[in-house]
Amino acid sequence: MDTAAQHSERDRPACSADPGQPPEPADPRARSRSVSDGPEPEPEPEPVSEPTPEPGSVPAPEPGSAPEPEPDAQPRPRSALAEWLPGGRITLTTLLGLLFLLLLSNFVLKPFEIPSTSMEPGLRVGDRVLVNKLAYRLGAEPRRGDVVVFDGTGYFGAADYIKRVVGTEGDRVVCCDRQGRIEVNGRAVDEDYLPTDEAPSQVPFDVVVPPGRLFLLGDHRSGSRDSRDHLGSPGGGMIPVDAVVGRAEWIAWPFDRLTGVDRPETFGRVPDPTGGAHG
């Protein structure tokens, strides 16, 4: 049982207020406002949530951050043939280049090495010339002054030869006039492509070129075996047009002699056998 003293102690306030002090408010916030001498603090800002990126979109880089490297490009697919060949694309490229040169040599341009002095001074021993194999395959015919490569089998010998066309079908070729020049259809030809002090021919001749044939001479007349040397042979030293491999177009080697093989203008003034101009 509580004594009177215990009742008196329990009913006493927790702490007695000093005289002259205002009573302590019951609300703690009111107490805080009454104790603080400064202004009321501002509420803290609420955090802002970043928008969620859409699927498949690339998020923008943050200011000041380095851009992310782009992914490497997808490797190009390799052909099955390149995969199969040893060396891959390098070997394939080399083979295609060789195939192109083979086709070019067989059907368009064929290299030909000059074997003798018969075409000096224009063509020297060891020169490589490019022969156009299509020159006479599309309806065109060899013309006077053209330098041609032909198969001499059955006429000059079983080999390829290179000579200059001096007479074509129907032409009358004569050596020589009073000045020692060759005449074609009565017109003297000034052959400035011959070696210095070289006579057009030491062998006289007077021939008419049969149909489908060519009369051919080397530029170095004293060192060339050509139509003059086979006048008594079958065909009279005349080569069939069908035996012509092609027309010499360029000296391709050596490089310091790189130049075209031109047709002399002097043959352009020769009339054809019927009185018109041709060749």
Side-chain angles (χ1 to χ4, degrees), residues 38-58:
E40 183 177 350
E42 298 181 358
E44 296 182 0
E46 296 181 0
V48 179
S49 60
E50 297 182 357
T52 304
E54 298 181 359
S57 63
V58 179

mmCIF file with all atom_site columns, all heavy atoms in Angstrom, residues 38-58:
data_model
loop_
_atom_site.group_PDB
_atom_site.id
_atom_site.type_symbol
_atom_site.label_atom_id
_atom_site.label_alt_id
_atom_site.label_comp_id
_atom_site.label_asym_id
_atom_site.label_entity_id
_atom_site.label_seq_id
_atom_site.pdbx_PDB_ins_code
_atom_site.Cartn_x
_atom_site.Cartn_y
_atom_site.Cartn_z
_atom_site.occupancy
_atom_site.B_iso_or_equiv
_atom_site.pdbx_formal_charge
_atom_site.auth_seq_id
_atom_site.auth_comp_id
_atom_site.auth_asym_id
_atom_site.auth_atom_id
_atom_site.pdbx_PDB_model_num
ATOM 1   N N   . GLY A 1 38 ? 16.931 31.064 -35.681 1.00 0.00 ? 38 GLY A N   1
ATOM 2   C CA  . GLY A 1 38 ? 17.079 31.293 -37.128 1.00 0.00 ? 38 GLY A CA  1
ATOM 3   C C   . GLY A 1 38 ? 15.786 31.051 -37.862 1.00 0.00 ? 38 GLY A C   1
ATOM 4   O O   . GLY A 1 38 ? 14.771 30.664 -37.287 1.00 0.00 ? 38 GLY A O   1
ATOM 5   N N   . PRO A 1 39 ? 15.830 31.221 -39.228 1.00 0.00 ? 39 PRO A N   1
ATOM 6   C CA  . PRO A 1 39 ? 14.624 31.003 -40.046 1.00 0.00 ? 39 PRO A CA  1
ATOM 7   C C   . PRO A 1 39 ? 14.311 29.529 -40.158 1.00 0.00 ? 39 PRO A C   1
ATOM 8   O O   . PRO A 1 39 ? 15.143 28.661 -39.910 1.00 0.00 ? 39 PRO A O   1
ATOM 9   C CB  . PRO A 1 39 ? 15.030 31.588 -41.410 1.00 0.00 ? 39 PRO A CB  1
ATOM 10  C CG  . PRO A 1 39 ? 16.523 31.452 -41.460 1.00 0.00 ? 39 PRO A CG  1
ATOM 11  C CD  . PRO A 1 39 ? 16.973 31.664 -40.049 1.00 0.00 ? 39 PRO A CD  1
ATOM 12  N N   . GLU A 1 40 ? 13.105 29.264 -40.530 1.00 0.00 ? 40 GLU A N   1
ATOM 13  C CA  . GLU A 1 40 ? 12.643 27.883 -40.639 1.00 0.00 ? 40 GLU A CA  1
ATOM 14  C C   . GLU A 1 40 ? 13.361 27.214 -41.828 1.00 0.00 ? 40 GLU A C   1
ATOM 15  O O   . GLU A 1 40 ? 13.428 27.761 -42.923 1.00 0.00 ? 40 GLU A O   1
ATOM 16  C CB  . GLU A 1 40 ? 11.134 27.867 -40.886 1.00 0.00 ? 40 GLU A CB  1
ATOM 17  C CG  . GLU A 1 40 ? 10.572 26.468 -40.929 1.00 0.00 ? 40 GLU A CG  1
ATOM 18  C CD  . GLU A 1 40 ? 9.064  26.505 -41.090 1.00 0.00 ? 40 GLU A CD  1
ATOM 19  O OE1 . GLU A 1 40 ? 8.488  27.610 -40.967 1.00 0.00 ? 40 GLU A OE1 1
ATOM 20  O OE2 . GLU A 1 40 ? 8.468  25.452 -41.356 1.00 0.00 ? 40 GLU A OE2 1
ATOM 21  N N   . PRO A 1 41 ? 13.946 26.041 -41.681 1.00 0.00 ? 41 PRO A N   1
ATOM 22  C CA  . PRO A 1 41 ? 14.707 25.389 -42.773 1.00 0.00 ? 41 PRO A CA  1
ATOM 23  C C   . PRO A 1 41 ? 13.782 25.021 -43.917 1.00 0.00 ? 41 PRO A C   1
ATOM 24  O O   . PRO A 1 41 ? 12.644 24.634 -43.723 1.00 0.00 ? 41 PRO A O   1
ATOM 25  C CB  . PRO A 1 41 ? 15.302 24.146 -42.101 1.00 0.00 ? 41 PRO A CB  1
ATOM 26  C CG  . PRO A 1 41 ? 14.407 23.858 -40.949 1.00 0.00 ? 41 PRO A CG  1
ATOM 27  C CD  . PRO A 1 41 ? 13.920 25.208 -40.464 1.00 0.00 ? 41 PRO A CD  1
ATOM 28  N N   . GLU A 1 42 ? 14.360 25.146 -45.197 1.00 0.00 ? 42 GLU A N   1
ATOM 29  C CA  . GLU A 1 42 ? 13.600 24.791 -46.393 1.00 0.00 ? 42 GLU A CA  1
ATOM 30  C C   . GLU A 1 42 ? 13.535 23.282 -46.552 1.00 0.00 ? 42 GLU A C   1
ATOM 31  O O   . GLU A 1 42 ? 14.451 22.574 -46.167 1.00 0.00 ? 42 GLU A O   1
ATOM 32  C CB  . GLU A 1 42 ? 14.266 25.385 -47.644 1.00 0.00 ? 42 GLU A CB  1
ATOM 33  C CG  . GLU A 1 42 ? 14.307 26.903 -47.630 1.00 0.00 ? 42 GLU A CG  1
ATOM 34  C CD  . GLU A 1 42 ? 14.951 27.441 -48.869 1.00 0.00 ? 42 GLU A CD  1
ATOM 35  O OE1 . GLU A 1 42 ? 15.384 26.614 -49.700 1.00 0.00 ? 42 GLU A OE1 1
ATOM 36  O OE2 . GLU A 1 42 ? 15.019 28.675 -49.023 1.00 0.00 ? 42 GLU A OE2 1
ATOM 37  N N   . PRO A 1 43 ? 12.447 22.795 -47.138 1.00 0.00 ? 43 PRO A N   1
ATOM 38  C CA  . PRO A 1 43 ? 12.361 21.330 -47.338 1.00 0.00 ? 43 PRO A CA  1
ATOM 39  C C   . PRO A 1 43 ? 13.361 20.870 -48.394 1.00 0.00 ? 43 PRO A C   1
ATOM 40  O O   . PRO A 1 43 ? 13.658 21.580 -49.344 1.00 0.00 ? 43 PRO A O   1
ATOM 41  C CB  . PRO A 1 43 ? 10.919 21.151 -47.804 1.00 0.00 ? 43 PRO A CB  1
ATOM 42  C CG  . PRO A 1 43 ? 10.534 22.448 -48.395 1.00 0.00 ? 43 PRO A CG  1
ATOM 43  C CD  . PRO A 1 43 ? 11.241 23.484 -47.581 1.00 0.00 ? 43 PRO A CD  1
ATOM 44  N N   . GLU A 1 44 ? 13.929 19.654 -48.193 1.00 0.00 ? 44 GLU A N   1
ATOM 45  C CA  . GLU A 1 44 ? 14.903 19.104 -49.129 1.00 0.00 ? 44 GLU A CA  1
ATOM 46  C C   . GLU A 1 44 ? 14.210 18.743 -50.454 1.00 0.00 ? 44 GLU A C   1
ATOM 47  O O   . GLU A 1 44 ? 13.086 18.249 -50.458 1.00 0.00 ? 44 GLU A O   1
ATOM 48  C CB  . GLU A 1 44 ? 15.546 17.845 -48.555 1.00 0.00 ? 44 GLU A CB  1
ATOM 49  C CG  . GLU A 1 44 ? 16.364 18.123 -47.304 1.00 0.00 ? 44 GLU A CG  1
ATOM 50  C CD  . GLU A 1 44 ? 17.009 16.859 -46.811 1.00 0.00 ? 44 GLU A CD  1
ATOM 51  O OE1 . GLU A 1 44 ? 16.802 15.805 -47.460 1.00 0.00 ? 44 GLU A OE1 1
ATOM 52  O OE2 . GLU A 1 44 ? 17.748 16.911 -45.811 1.00 0.00 ? 44 GLU A OE2 1
ATOM 53  N N   . PRO A 1 45 ? 14.906 19.002 -51.626 1.00 0.00 ? 45 PRO A N   1
ATOM 54  C CA  . PRO A 1 45 ? 14.274 18.678 -52.927 1.00 0.00 ? 45 PRO A CA  1
ATOM 55  C C   . PRO A 1 45 ? 14.157 17.177 -53.112 1.00 0.00 ? 45 PRO A C   1
ATOM 56  O O   . PRO A 1 45 ? 15.005 16.413 -52.676 1.00 0.00 ? 45 PRO A O   1
ATOM 57  C CB  . PRO A 1 45 ? 15.247 19.299 -53.939 1.00 0.00 ? 45 PRO A CB  1
ATOM 58  C CG  . PRO A 1 45 ? 16.563 19.337 -53.242 1.00 0.00 ? 45 PRO A CG  1
ATOM 59  C CD  . PRO A 1 45 ? 16.235 19.600 -51.787 1.00 0.00 ? 45 PRO A CD  1
ATOM 60  N N   . GLU A 1 46 ? 13.068 16.794 -53.732 1.00 0.00 ? 46 GLU A N   1
ATOM 61  C CA  . GLU A 1 46 ? 12.870 15.378 -53.980 1.00 0.00 ? 46 GLU A CA  1
ATOM 62  C C   . GLU A 1 46 ? 13.762 14.914 -55.129 1.00 0.00 ? 46 GLU A C   1
ATOM 63  O O   . GLU A 1 46 ? 13.979 15.647 -56.098 1.00 0.00 ? 46 GLU A O   1
ATOM 64  C CB  . GLU A 1 46 ? 11.399 15.118 -54.346 1.00 0.00 ? 46 GLU A CB  1
ATOM 65  C CG  . GLU A 1 46 ? 10.437 15.450 -53.215 1.00 0.00 ? 46 GLU A CG  1
ATOM 66  C CD  . GLU A 1 46 ? 9.015  15.147 -53.623 1.00 0.00 ? 46 GLU A CD  1
ATOM 67  O OE1 . GLU A 1 46 ? 8.826  14.690 -54.773 1.00 0.00 ? 46 GLU A OE1 1
ATOM 68  O OE2 . GLU A 1 46 ? 8.096  15.351 -52.808 1.00 0.00 ? 46 GLU A OE2 1
ATOM 69  N N   . PRO A 1 47 ? 14.325 13.738 -55.043 1.00 0.00 ? 47 PRO A N   1
ATOM 70  C CA  . PRO A 1 47 ? 15.204 13.240 -56.138 1.00 0.00 ? 47 PRO A CA  1
ATOM 71  C C   . PRO A 1 47 ? 14.392 13.049 -57.419 1.00 0.00 ? 47 PRO A C   1
ATOM 72  O O   . PRO A 1 47 ? 13.251 12.626 -57.394 1.00 0.00 ? 47 PRO A O   1
ATOM 73  C CB  . PRO A 1 47 ? 15.722 11.913 -55.591 1.00 0.00 ? 47 PRO A CB  1
ATOM 74  C CG  . PRO A 1 47 ? 14.705 11.483 -54.575 1.00 0.00 ? 47 PRO A CG  1
ATOM 75  C CD  . PRO A 1 47 ? 14.173 12.753 -53.959 1.00 0.00 ? 47 PRO A CD  1
ATOM 76  N N   . VAL A 1 48 ? 15.080 13.415 -58.562 1.00 0.00 ? 48 VAL A N   1
ATOM 77  C CA  . VAL A 1 48 ? 14.450 13.282 -59.876 1.00 0.00 ? 48 VAL A CA  1
ATOM 78  C C   . VAL A 1 48 ? 14.909 11.973 -60.505 1.00 0.00 ? 48 VAL A C   1
ATOM 79  O O   . VAL A 1 48 ? 16.112 11.738 -60.649 1.00 0.00 ? 48 VAL A O   1
ATOM 80  C CB  . VAL A 1 48 ? 14.834 14.462 -60.804 1.00 0.00 ? 48 VAL A CB  1
ATOM 81  C CG1 . VAL A 1 48 ? 14.194 14.282 -62.175 1.00 0.00 ? 48 VAL A CG1 1
ATOM 82  C CG2 . VAL A 1 48 ? 14.419 15.766 -60.168 1.00 0.00 ? 48 VAL A CG2 1
ATOM 83  N N   . SER A 1 49 ? 13.990 11.161 -60.870 1.00 0.00 ? 49 SER A N   1
ATOM 84  C CA  . SER A 1 49 ? 14.330 9.869  -61.485 1.00 0.00 ? 49 SER A CA  1
ATOM 85  C C   . SER A 1 49 ? 14.533 10.053 -62.975 1.00 0.00 ? 49 SER A C   1
ATOM 86  O O   . SER A 1 49 ? 13.806 10.797 -63.618 1.00 0.00 ? 49 SER A O   1
ATOM 87  C CB  . SER A 1 49 ? 13.210 8.859  -61.231 1.00 0.00 ? 49 SER A CB  1
ATOM 88  O OG  . SER A 1 49 ? 11.990 9.320  -61.797 1.00 0.00 ? 49 SER A OG  1
ATOM 89  N N   . GLU A 1 50 ? 15.602 9.403  -63.553 1.00 0.00 ? 50 GLU A N   1
ATOM 90  C CA  . GLU A 1 50 ? 15.899 9.482  -64.973 1.00 0.00 ? 50 GLU A CA  1
ATOM 91  C C   . GLU A 1 50 ? 14.909 8.650  -65.764 1.00 0.00 ? 50 GLU A C   1
ATOM 92  O O   . GLU A 1 50 ? 14.484 7.592  -65.301 1.00 0.00 ? 50 GLU A O   1
ATOM 93  C CB  . GLU A 1 50 ? 17.318 8.992  -65.248 1.00 0.00 ? 50 GLU A CB  1
ATOM 94  C CG  . GLU A 1 50 ? 18.387 9.837  -64.573 1.00 0.00 ? 50 GLU A CG  1
ATOM 95  C CD  . GLU A 1 50 ? 19.759 9.337  -64.914 1.00 0.00 ? 50 GLU A CD  1
ATOM 96  O OE1 . GLU A 1 50 ? 19.838 8.309  -65.631 1.00 0.00 ? 50 GLU A OE1 1
ATOM 97  O OE2 . GLU A 1 50 ? 20.742 9.966  -64.497 1.00 0.00 ? 50 GLU A OE2 1
ATOM 98  N N   . PRO A 1 51 ? 14.558 9.133  -66.964 1.00 0.00 ? 51 PRO A N   1
ATOM 99  C CA  . PRO A 1 51 ? 13.606 8.355  -67.768 1.00 0.00 ? 51 PRO A CA  1
ATOM 100 C C   . PRO A 1 51 ? 14.210 7.032  -68.211 1.00 0.00 ? 51 PRO A C   1
ATOM 101 O O   . PRO A 1 51 ? 15.402 6.939  -68.485 1.00 0.00 ? 51 PRO A O   1
ATOM 102 C CB  . PRO A 1 51 ? 13.332 9.271  -68.971 1.00 0.00 ? 51 PRO A CB  1
ATOM 103 C CG  . PRO A 1 51 ? 14.538 10.144 -69.071 1.00 0.00 ? 51 PRO A CG  1
ATOM 104 C CD  . PRO A 1 51 ? 14.989 10.367 -67.660 1.00 0.00 ? 51 PRO A CD  1
ATOM 105 N N   . THR A 1 52 ? 13.381 6.042  -68.234 1.00 0.00 ? 52 THR A N   1
ATOM 106 C CA  . THR A 1 52 ? 13.832 4.712  -68.657 1.00 0.00 ? 52 THR A CA  1
ATOM 107 C C   . THR A 1 52 ? 13.957 4.686  -70.169 1.00 0.00 ? 52 THR A C   1
ATOM 108 O O   . THR A 1 52 ? 13.018 5.038  -70.874 1.00 0.00 ? 52 THR A O   1
ATOM 109 C CB  . THR A 1 52 ? 12.816 3.635  -68.216 1.00 0.00 ? 52 THR A CB  1
ATOM 110 O OG1 . THR A 1 52 ? 12.647 3.733  -66.801 1.00 0.00 ? 52 THR A OG1 1
ATOM 111 C CG2 . THR A 1 52 ? 13.310 2.247  -68.612 1.00 0.00 ? 52 THR A CG2 1
ATOM 112 N N   . PRO A 1 53 ? 15.177 4.313  -70.732 1.00 0.00 ? 53 PRO A N   1
ATOM 113 C CA  . PRO A 1 53 ? 15.335 4.302  -72.195 1.00 0.00 ? 53 PRO A CA  1
ATOM 114 C C   . PRO A 1 53 ? 14.456 3.247  -72.830 1.00 0.00 ? 53 PRO A C   1
ATOM 115 O O   . PRO A 1 53 ? 14.203 2.194  -72.248 1.00 0.00 ? 53 PRO A O   1
ATOM 116 C CB  . PRO A 1 53 ? 16.825 3.982  -72.386 1.00 0.00 ? 53 PRO A CB  1
ATOM 117 C CG  . PRO A 1 53 ? 17.224 3.282  -71.134 1.00 0.00 ? 53 PRO A CG  1
ATOM 118 C CD  . PRO A 1 53 ? 16.381 3.873  -70.047 1.00 0.00 ? 53 PRO A CD  1
ATOM 119 N N   . GLU A 1 54 ? 13.990 3.557  -74.044 1.00 0.00 ? 54 GLU A N   1
ATOM 120 C CA  . GLU A 1 54 ? 13.181 2.609  -74.772 1.00 0.00 ? 54 GLU A CA  1
ATOM 121 C C   . GLU A 1 54 ? 14.039 1.454  -75.258 1.00 0.00 ? 54 GLU A C   1
ATOM 122 O O   . GLU A 1 54 ? 15.240 1.609  -75.477 1.00 0.00 ? 54 GLU A O   1
ATOM 123 C CB  . GLU A 1 54 ? 12.523 3.307  -75.971 1.00 0.00 ? 54 GLU A CB  1
ATOM 124 C CG  . GLU A 1 54 ? 11.577 4.430  -75.562 1.00 0.00 ? 54 GLU A CG  1
ATOM 125 C CD  . GLU A 1 54 ? 10.951 5.055  -76.787 1.00 0.00 ? 54 GLU A CD  1
ATOM 126 O OE1 . GLU A 1 54 ? 11.288 4.611  -77.894 1.00 0.00 ? 54 GLU A OE1 1
ATOM 127 O OE2 . GLU A 1 54 ? 10.141 5.989  -76.619 1.00 0.00 ? 54 GLU A OE2 1
ATOM 128 N N   . PRO A 1 55 ? 13.415 0.308  -75.446 1.00 0.00 ? 55 PRO A N   1
ATOM 129 C CA  . PRO A 1 55 ? 14.196 -0.854 -75.942 1.00 0.00 ? 55 PRO A CA  1
ATOM 130 C C   . PRO A 1 55 ? 14.783 -0.565 -77.317 1.00 0.00 ? 55 PRO A C   1
ATOM 131 O O   . PRO A 1 55 ? 14.115 -0.065 -78.204 1.00 0.00 ? 55 PRO A O   1
ATOM 132 C CB  . PRO A 1 55 ? 13.136 -1.975 -76.018 1.00 0.00 ? 55 PRO A CB  1
ATOM 133 C CG  . PRO A 1 55 ? 12.045 -1.548 -75.096 1.00 0.00 ? 55 PRO A CG  1
ATOM 134 C CD  . PRO A 1 55 ? 12.021 -0.051 -75.119 1.00 0.00 ? 55 PRO A CD  1
ATOM 135 N N   . GLY A 1 56 ? 16.092 -0.877 -77.491 1.00 0.00 ? 56 GLY A N   1
ATOM 136 C CA  . GLY A 1 56 ? 16.766 -0.668 -78.768 1.00 0.00 ? 56 GLY A CA  1
ATOM 137 C C   . GLY A 1 56 ? 17.402 0.690  -78.924 1.00 0.00 ? 56 GLY A C   1
ATOM 138 O O   . GLY A 1 56 ? 18.149 0.921  -79.869 1.00 0.00 ? 56 GLY A O   1
ATOM 139 N N   . SER A 1 57 ? 17.107 1.648  -78.000 1.00 0.00 ? 57 SER A N   1
ATOM 140 C CA  . SER A 1 57 ? 17.695 2.978  -78.114 1.00 0.00 ? 57 SER A CA  1
ATOM 141 C C   . SER A 1 57 ? 19.041 3.016  -77.438 1.00 0.00 ? 57 SER A C   1
ATOM 142 O O   . SER A 1 57 ? 19.333 2.220  -76.553 1.00 0.00 ? 57 SER A O   1
ATOM 143 C CB  . SER A 1 57 ? 16.757 4.029  -77.499 1.00 0.00 ? 57 SER A CB  1
ATOM 144 O OG  . SER A 1 57 ? 16.596 3.779  -76.113 1.00 0.00 ? 57 SER A OG  1
ATOM 145 N N   . VAL A 1 58 ? 19.904 3.949  -77.882 1.00 0.00 ? 58 VAL A N   1
ATOM 146 C CA  . VAL A 1 58 ? 21.238 4.104  -77.314 1.00 0.00 ? 58 VAL A CA  1
ATOM 147 C C   . VAL A 1 58 ? 21.209 5.267  -76.346 1.00 0.00 ? 58 VAL A C   1
ATOM 148 O O   . VAL A 1 58 ? 20.845 6.386  -76.734 1.00 0.00 ? 58 VAL A O   1
ATOM 149 C CB  . VAL A 1 58 ? 22.275 4.360  -78.436 1.00 0.00 ? 58 VAL A CB  1
ATOM 150 C CG1 . VAL A 1 58 ? 23.664 4.535  -77.828 1.00 0.00 ? 58 VAL A CG1 1
ATOM 151 C CG2 . VAL A 1 58 ? 22.251 3.220  -79.431 1.00 0.00 ? 58 VAL A CG2 1
#
